[in-house]
């Protein structure tokens, strides 16, 4: 009897020990599901399955409600006891529709999306694998909800709700990527990121300044990179993948490799990616205004204008890029989790195609206009502690140091002087975030942030015949930019159906700039800005049933002036030059948005959201005086003087609509439609369309999925913007637009028809392919300086191990 009791006790101990690991599989295929999220409020716990579908759930012991979710599967709720009685094995059922998923960008903490009043979408690695975006900008574009502008192939500037560039926030693993030189014009920094090394991407639509501070007016783009996975057993966990891809329109040759190695307490992930793009070929059917069939080549110390053999090639648009990432994770116990990440990205020099299509006196204006190698490096440490004490349930500390380098190189045709301006930004940041569940209905999210950017900008002039170099004008003054902020966000769940959220943030920002008067006789040599901003939000979510969600959010957001605003000297458009203006204040946005999403009988999902935003003290480019003059000589031509000023009110409104229909025999239909419009106030009190509010756009998809095969036929489209509808500062940009019957610039409507296919050949091998722009349209997204790809054949092979 005694031996039997001892044996039962030992067996119970074994069962309890084993019970700490759960295995989750697909109900149909019986294959393990990676990336399933398990979340509990009481106790506060989180876990995610590894490549073998396993997760450690010891922290969930005695939990009565555990939310279990994964995109493409029905969400379920289980208690710890229920999981235990099922021997910690679970199978999830696939579904077309879901109104609930786990998101981070709403509060920096993992939450169920019905607990966040703002609209948030998630782009998964599975969708990226299927759609094959070439860059991180294209990754955002495949959502059908983010508009992407391009000035050259090596770039991509998102537009969200009438905002772009420095009115949007980028974060990588929770670290702010925006720097003090993010400009009002289109930026290319998003291509620093690696789509292959991204687990998922979230886009928060609307203001996010309470959590993220300055710049989060139109939205937040949150990139979560590959996370090191721990082994749930004594056996070493090794997983990874290798990818090879080719695309015909730009002769793309891309390779990627990553490996994850996990022990019980330690884990690492290593990732490498390499891209090589040739000059991009545009389509054969469309406006001839987009064709520039000449380029400049240096021959025998002379600039020679070359006639292209293939007029559809956009020369020069070729470039290459290399990315690497290394992460190390240490989880000594269930209370602490330490992660270190190293990211590095470098591109080759690449031509700014829109500038290289400018003409002067009947020929190309520039012999050279290139961006130098774009470099980004980040070291970051994340420390998470499950305290469950009086001050917090969870705390995360993020320490980060980033280095950015970018340069601009230009030379006028038949001139020997090459101008080079190089910018280096060293960005350091500290974020400390907490959450605390004060009772069963109320949760607090609060934290502090410190950001310090040091800007070094230098210029040089090189005589390309003699090689002699001399100091040239820099783009920016030597500057520092500091932001210090604190926020508090409160969520109160009045019932299972109704939740309220309110938040506030106080931010101090300081700019100190020293101007060099060697080249420009500024009336000042130093500029100091020391100001503050207060912002807040209030929202609710009402969920009448599990298939119906109504949300509304009212809030403010702000953007503090940065070094690009107060200190830049640059040509903004032909015949204009922007000069410094140190007397700037923050611009404020007042926003209201409302959304409804409903699932009808598991056959139809409708998701509609609308917004209205007013921006006061809008930082815009306006005519200015430089030492009493309205025009000066700049870049060898007389140029009108302009400066960034708090000189306008901007109004933007719009609507986003998504429809998903489940059809018979494995077919489904998905449609995304986006409309936005805005008005900027001009100096004379009249109104101009907002520059970053594109014409309506969207995507329609017919998808088929059965077993290991997935097919999609889609059409991507954009509406027309006539000359009268163009923003005033766009009307003169001859090189960007087609010409209407009157010879005026306009953005034609366009659409492309595309086919995508994916087949899982075996457990370890898959193939994806596609034909983009099947009808070979020549098109150009609004405000872009380079045309989209013509007919493009894609083939991609992936091997898992």
């Amino acid at each position: 009897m005694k031996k039997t009791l001892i044996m039962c006790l030992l067996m119970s101990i074994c069962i309890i020990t084993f019970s700490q690991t759960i295995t989750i599989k697909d109900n149909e295929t019986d294959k393990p599901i990676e990336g399933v999220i398990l979340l509990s409020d009481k106790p506060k716990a989180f876990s995610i399955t590894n490549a073998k579908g396993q997760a450690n759930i010891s922290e969930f012991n005695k939990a009565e409600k555990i939310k279990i979710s994964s995109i493409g599967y029905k969400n379920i709720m289980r208690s710890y006891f229920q999981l235990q009685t099922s021997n910690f094995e679970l199978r999830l059922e696939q579904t077309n529709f879901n109104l609930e998923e786990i998101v981070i960008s709403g509060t920096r903490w993992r939450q169920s999306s019905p607990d966040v009043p703002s609209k948030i979408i998630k782009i998964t690695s599975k969708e990226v694998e299927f759609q094959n975006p070439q860059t991180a900008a294209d990754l955002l574009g495949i959502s059908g909800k983010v508009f992407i502008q391009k000035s050259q192939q090596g770039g991509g500037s998102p537009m969200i709700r009438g905002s772009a560039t420095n009115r949007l926030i980028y974060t990588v693993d929770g670290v702010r990527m925006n720097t003090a030189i993010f400009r009002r014009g289109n930026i290319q920094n998003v291509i620093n990121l690696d789509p292959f090394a991204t687990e998922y991407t979230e886009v928060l639509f609307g203001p996010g300044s309470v959590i993220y501070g300055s710049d989060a007016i139109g939205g937040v783009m949150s990139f979560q990179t590959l996370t090191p996975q721990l082994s749930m057993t004594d056996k070493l966990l090794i997983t990874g993948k290798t990818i090879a891809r080719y695309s015909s329109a730009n002769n793309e040759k891309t390779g990627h490799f990553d490996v994850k190695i996990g022990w019980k307490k330690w884990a690492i992930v290593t990732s490498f990616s390499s891209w090589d793009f040739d000059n991009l070929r545009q389509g054969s059917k469309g406006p001839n205004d987009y064709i520039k069939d000449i380029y400049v080549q240096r021959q025998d110390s002379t600039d020679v204008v070359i006639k292209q053999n293939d007029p559809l090639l956009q020369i020069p648009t070729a470039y290459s890029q290399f990315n690497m990432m290394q992460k190390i994770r240490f989880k000594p116990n269930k209370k602490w989790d330490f992660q270190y990440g190293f990211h590095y990205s470098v591109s080759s020099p690449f031509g700014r195609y829109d500038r290289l299509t400018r003409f002067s006196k009947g020929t190309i204006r520039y012999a050279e206009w290139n961006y130098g190698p774009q470099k980004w490096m980040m070291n970051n440490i994340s420390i998470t502690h499950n305290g469950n004490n009086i001050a917090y349930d969870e705390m995360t500390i993020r320490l980060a140091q980033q280095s950015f380098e970018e340069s601009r190189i230009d030379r006028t045709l038949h001139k020997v002087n090459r101008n080079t301006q190089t910018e280096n930004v060293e960005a350091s940041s500290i974020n400390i975030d907490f959450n605390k569940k004060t009772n069963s209905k109320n949760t607090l999210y609060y934290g502090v942030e410190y950001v310090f950017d040091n800007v070094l900008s230098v210029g040089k002039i090189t005589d390309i015949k003699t090689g002699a170099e001399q100091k040239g004008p820099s783009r920016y003054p030597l500057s520092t930019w500091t932001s210090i902020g604190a926020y508090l966000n409160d969520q109160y769940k009045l019932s299972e159906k109704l939740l309220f959220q309110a938040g506030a943030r106080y931010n101090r920002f300081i700019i100190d700039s020293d101007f060099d008067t060697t080249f420009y006789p500024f009336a000042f040599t130093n500029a100091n800005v020391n100001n503050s901003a207060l912002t807040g939000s209030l929202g609710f979510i009402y969920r009448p049933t599990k298939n119906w969600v109504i949300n509304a959010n009212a809030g403010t957001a702000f953007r503090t002036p940065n070094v690009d605003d107060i200190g830049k000297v640059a040509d903004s458009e032909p015949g204009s030059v922007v000069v410094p203006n140190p007397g700037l204040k923050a611009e404020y946005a007042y926003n209201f948005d409302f959304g409804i999403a409903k699932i009808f009988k598991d056959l139809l999902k409708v998701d509609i959201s609308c917004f209205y935003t007013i921006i006061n003290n809008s930082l815009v480019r306006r005519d200015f005086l430089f030492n009493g003059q309205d025009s000066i000589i700049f870049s060898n031509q007389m140029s009108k003087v302009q400066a960034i000023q708090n000189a306008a009110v901007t109004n933007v409104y719009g609507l986003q609509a998504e429809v998903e229909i489940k059809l018979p025999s494995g077919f489904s239909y998905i449609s995304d439609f986006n409309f936005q419009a805005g008005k900027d106030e001009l100096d004379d009190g009249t109104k101009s369309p907002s520059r970053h509010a594109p014409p309506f756009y969207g995507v329609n998809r017919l998808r088929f999925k059965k077993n290991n095969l997935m097919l999609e036929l889609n059409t991507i489209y954009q509406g027309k913007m006539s000359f009268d509808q163009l923003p005033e500062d766009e009307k003169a940009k001859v090189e960007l637009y087609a010409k209407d019957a009157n010879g005026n610039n306009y953005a034609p409507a366009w659409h492309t028809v595309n086919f995508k296919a994916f087949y899982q050949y075996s457990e370890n091998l898959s193939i994806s392919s596609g034909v983009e722009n099947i009808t070979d349209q020549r098109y150009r997204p609004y405000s872009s300086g380079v045309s989209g790809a013509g007919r493009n054949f894609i083939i991609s092979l992936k091997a898992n191990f």
Side-chain angles (χ1 to χ4, degrees):
M1 182 66 179
K2 186 180 292 185
K3 289 182 179 180
T4 302
L5 288 173
I6 292 173
M7 184 63 69
C8 289
L9 180 61
L10 289 173
M11 289 178 65
S12 298
I13 292 173
C14 291
I15 291 172
I16 292 171
T17 302
F18 175 74
S19 70
Q20 294 178 346
T21 299
I22 189 172
T23 301
I24 302 178
K25 296 182 178 181
D26 185 291
N27 187 49
E28 293 183 10
T29 66
D30 202 40
K31 293 179 180 179
I33 308 173
E34 182 180 0
V36 179
I37 293 175
L38 300 94
L39 193 66
S40 166
D41 286 332
K42 189 177 180 181
K44 202 76 175 178
F46 163 81
S47 191
I48 185 168
T49 58
N50 60 21
K52 296 187 180 296
Q54 298 176 330
N56 188 332
I57 59 169
S58 59
E59 299 174 35
F60 294 81
N61 191 21
K62 298 182 180 180
E64 295 182 359
K65 292 182 178 180
I66 302 174
K67 293 179 181 178
I68 303 170
S69 67
S70 180
I71 291 181
Y73 294 89
K74 287 185 178 180
N75 296 334
I76 60 174
M77 187 84 73
R78 293 287 187 272
S79 68
Y80 187 86
F81 176 75
Q82 288 175 312
L83 296 178
Q84 191 174 32
T85 55
S86 65
N87 293 323
F88 296 97
E89 291 186 358
L90 194 64
R91 281 168 169 74
L92 298 185
E93 183 181 346
Q94 294 185 21
T95 183
N96 287 328
F97 309 129
N98 218 329
L99 292 179
E100 185 173 347
E101 59 188 13
I102 305 301
V103 296
I104 295 178
S105 54
T107 61
R108 289 185 179 271
W109 294 101
R110 289 177 176 87
Q111 293 177 277
S112 178
S113 55
D115 292 341
V116 183
S118 300
K119 180 179 178 62
I120 299 175
I121 64 164
K122 203 167 189 175
I123 306 169
T124 66
S125 57
K126 289 183 179 179
E127 188 67 14
V128 170
E129 181 181 5
F130 179 54
Q131 298 291 348
N132 278 303
Q134 291 188 337
T135 68
D138 298 331
L139 182 156
L140 292 165
I142 66 172
S143 68
K145 300 175 179 67
V146 179
F147 188 88
I148 303 298
Q149 179 277 349
K150 291 188 178 183
S151 298
Q152 65 278 328
Q153 184 175 208
S157 190
M159 296 184 185
I160 300 174
R161 292 193 171 186
S163 293
T165 61
N166 53 21
R167 285 182 181 167
L168 302 174
I169 279 281
Y170 303 82
T171 70
V172 183
D173 294 341
V175 177
R176 174 190 179 96
M177 195 179 184
N178 295 44
T179 72
I181 62 172
F182 267 36
R183 60 187 182 275
R184 179 179 179 270
N186 300 304
I187 58 176
Q188 327 302 328
N189 301 69
V190 71
I191 70 164
N192 289 329
L193 306 178
D194 181 358
F196 296 115
T198 302
E199 275 186 354
Y200 60 85
T201 302
E202 292 179 10
V203 181
L204 181 151
F205 294 87
S209 282
V210 168
I211 304 298
Y212 295 95
S214 177
D215 303 1
I217 289 178
V220 178
M221 292 159 285
S222 174
F223 297 84
Q224 176 61 50
T225 61
L226 297 175
T227 302
Q229 295 181 350
L230 299 170
S231 175
M232 300 296 107
T233 67
D234 291 328
K235 188 177 179 181
L236 186 67
L237 175 67
I238 301 178
T239 61
K241 64 179 180 287
T242 181
I243 297 172
R245 185 174 67 204
Y246 174 80
S247 300
S248 64
N250 53 5
N251 198 26
E252 176 203 10
K253 296 177 284 293
T254 289
H256 169 80
F257 171 81
D258 69 64
V259 60
K260 298 176 183 178
I261 303 175
W263 298 265
K264 275 196 167 183
K265 294 184 178 181
W266 289 87
I268 62 173
V269 58
T270 303
S271 170
F272 299 96
S273 296
S274 175
W275 298 264
D276 184 76
F277 304 108
D278 206 339
N279 293 309
L280 180 64
R281 180 192 177 276
Q282 59 186 327
S284 61
K285 303 170 185 175
N288 290 330
D289 305 293
Y290 296 154
I291 293 178
K292 179 189 74 76
D293 59 355
I294 55 175
Y295 65 98
V296 178
Q297 194 176 81
R298 191 75 175 168
Q299 295 180 0
D300 298 325
S301 301
T302 303
D303 289 333
V304 179
V305 178
I306 304 293
K307 184 78 170 178
Q308 295 177 196
N309 293 325
D310 183 353
L312 299 182
L313 283 179
Q314 299 174 94
I315 302 174
T317 52
Y319 83 103
S320 60
Q321 184 171 321
F322 173 77
N323 277 52
M324 70 167 294
M325 182 184 73
Q326 179 66 61
K327 282 188 170 183
I328 302 172
R329 182 181 182 187
F330 175 53
K331 189 174 174 63
N333 51 52
K334 65 181 182 179
K335 292 286 187 181
W336 292 94
D337 193 344
F338 300 85
Q339 293 192 42
Y340 164 76
F342 172 77
H343 303 258
Y344 180 73
S345 172
V346 60
S347 74
S348 67
F350 49 90
R352 180 166 174 177
Y353 189 73
D354 62 340
R355 293 296 176 92
L356 290 165
T357 58
R358 284 185 180 175
F359 280 69
S360 177
K361 298 177 181 179
T363 188
I364 293 178
R365 179 180 175 184
Y366 292 104
E368 303 175 42
W369 212 118
N370 301 318
Y371 285 112
Q374 184 169 288
K375 299 177 183 179
W376 171 63
M377 182 177 70
M378 180 171 77
N379 290 273
N380 69 300
I381 297 174
S382 172
I383 304 169
T384 299
H385 180 235
N386 293 320
N388 293 317
N389 54 46
I390 193 171
Y392 61 86
D393 293 330
E394 294 175 290
M395 172 191 70
T396 293
I397 302 172
R398 295 181 179 90
L399 309 172
Q401 191 281 328
Q402 300 180 78
S403 297
F404 300 84
E405 181 181 313
E406 58 187 57
S407 56
R408 294 162 177 82
I409 305 158
D410 70 83
R411 184 174 62 83
T412 302
L413 186 69
H414 301 310
K415 302 293 183 182
V416 297
N417 284 340
R418 176 189 291 136
N419 304 300
T420 303
Q421 293 178 319
T422 303
E423 285 74 55
N424 289 275
V425 179
E426 296 294 325
S428 303
S429 62
I430 303 173
N431 290 85
I432 308 177
D433 301 292
F434 306 88
N435 68 56
K436 176 63 183 177
K437 195 172 185 68
T438 57
N439 56 51
S440 60
K441 294 186 175 182
N442 196 75
T443 304
L444 293 175
Y445 301 91
Y446 60 100
V448 294
E449 178 185 63
Y450 173 81
V451 180
F452 179 81
D453 285 6
N454 187 60
V455 179
L456 174 64
S457 181
V458 296
K460 70 176 181 179
I461 301 172
T462 304
D463 186 318
I464 62 171
K465 279 193 173 181
T466 66
E469 293 185 357
Q470 59 178 311
K471 182 179 179 181
S474 63
R475 183 177 175 88
Y476 299 113
L478 299 179
S479 304
T480 59
W481 183 87
T482 305
S483 172
I484 305 169
Y487 73 90
L488 173 66
N489 205 46
D490 184 44
Q491 286 188 347
Y492 184 77
K493 186 172 285 190
L494 191 64
S495 67
E496 288 299 316
K497 295 183 177 181
L498 183 61
L499 178 143
F500 289 93
Q501 177 176 289
R505 181 188 182 101
Y506 176 79
N507 220 100
R508 197 83 191 172
F509 56 92
I510 303 165
I511 305 175
D512 189 3
S513 298
D514 293 318
F515 292 85
D516 185 351
T517 58
T518 303
F519 298 95
Y520 306 111
F522 300 121
F524 46 85
T525 58
N526 183 266
N528 297 100
V529 177
N530 191 331
N531 217 325
S532 61
L534 181 65
T535 188
S537 66
L538 178 66
F540 76 86
I541 289 183
Y542 177 56
R543 193 163 189 175
T545 69
K546 67 177 182 178
N547 292 328
W548 190 7
V549 175
I550 301 171
N551 65 278
N553 195 53
T556 61
F558 69 96
R559 184 176 81 80
T560 66
N562 61 20
V563 176
D564 184 86
D565 296 314
I566 73 164
K568 176 172 65 178
V569 179
D571 60 328
S572 57
E573 60 190 24
S576 298
V577 58
V578 175
V579 299
N581 179 16
L584 298 177
K585 299 178 181 179
E587 57 182 11
Y588 269 88
Y590 302 86
N591 178 81
F592 176 77
D593 54 66
F594 178 80
I596 298 178
K598 185 172 174 59
I599 295 174
F600 299 86
K601 297 183 178 180
D602 205 30
L603 296 174
L604 171 67
K605 175 184 173 183
V606 179
D607 189 343
I608 299 174
S609 59
C610 53
F611 70 94
Y612 189 89
T613 304
I614 301 172
I615 304 177
N616 284 335
N617 283 329
S618 184
L619 290 163
V620 293
R621 192 173 66 240
R622 290 288 185 265
D623 291 346
F624 199 65
L625 295 177
F626 182 78
N627 293 337
Q629 297 177 295
D630 62 4
S631 298
I632 61 174
I633 297 294
F634 182 81
S635 193
N636 300 316
Q637 74 175 58
M638 182 62 70
S639 301
K640 181 191 296 183
V641 174
Q642 296 184 322
I644 303 297
Q645 302 174 55
N646 294 106
V649 175
T650 298
N651 298 270
V652 185
Y653 58 91
L655 175 142
Q656 291 177 294
E658 179 184 5
V659 175
E660 295 185 45
I661 304 173
K662 182 180 179 181
L663 301 171
S665 305
F667 284 92
S668 62
Y669 173 77
I670 307 164
S671 179
D672 281 289
F673 174 81
N674 305 269
F675 167 79
Q676 52 208 296
K679 294 290 184 181
D680 289 336
E681 182 184 14
L682 301 179
D683 280 344
D684 60 3
T686 59
K687 302 287 187 178
S688 167
S690 293
R691 177 185 176 188
H692 293 131
F696 70 83
Y697 64 95
V699 58
N700 299 311
R701 311 178 197 269
L702 179 64
R703 188 172 284 187
F704 171 79
K705 186 177 181 182
K706 186 173 183 180
N707 299 327
N708 294 330
L709 176 67
M710 185 158 65
L711 306 173
E712 178 180 290
L713 182 68
N714 70 56
T715 178
I716 302 171
Y717 61 88
Q718 174 202 285
K720 174 184 174 181
M721 186 174 280
S722 68
F723 177 76
D724 291 334
Q725 294 171 322
L726 284 177
E728 286 300 315
D729 54 0
E730 291 289 293
K731 289 181 177 180
K733 297 178 180 178
V734 178
E735 66 274 12
L736 302 189
Y737 296 101
K739 304 296 178 289
D740 62 19
N742 298 317
N744 294 321
N745 292 335
Y746 84 111
W750 57 264
H751 73 277
T752 62
V753 179
N754 315 278
F755 175 76
K756 299 292 176 75
F758 174 86
Y759 182 67
Q760 188 73 43
Y761 180 76
S762 66
E763 184 177 350
N764 297 320
L765 184 64
S766 63
I767 180 171
S768 58
S769 61
V771 185
E772 296 177 336
N773 195 0
I774 294 172
T775 57
D776 204 31
Q777 298 297 305
R778 186 184 311 129
Y779 70 97
R780 186 168 289 189
Y782 163 74
S783 194
S784 293
V786 65
S787 299
R791 187 180 296 115
N792 185 30
F793 296 91
I794 303 168
I795 182 74
S796 177
L797 297 173
K798 186 179 85 165
N800 296 315
F801 59 89

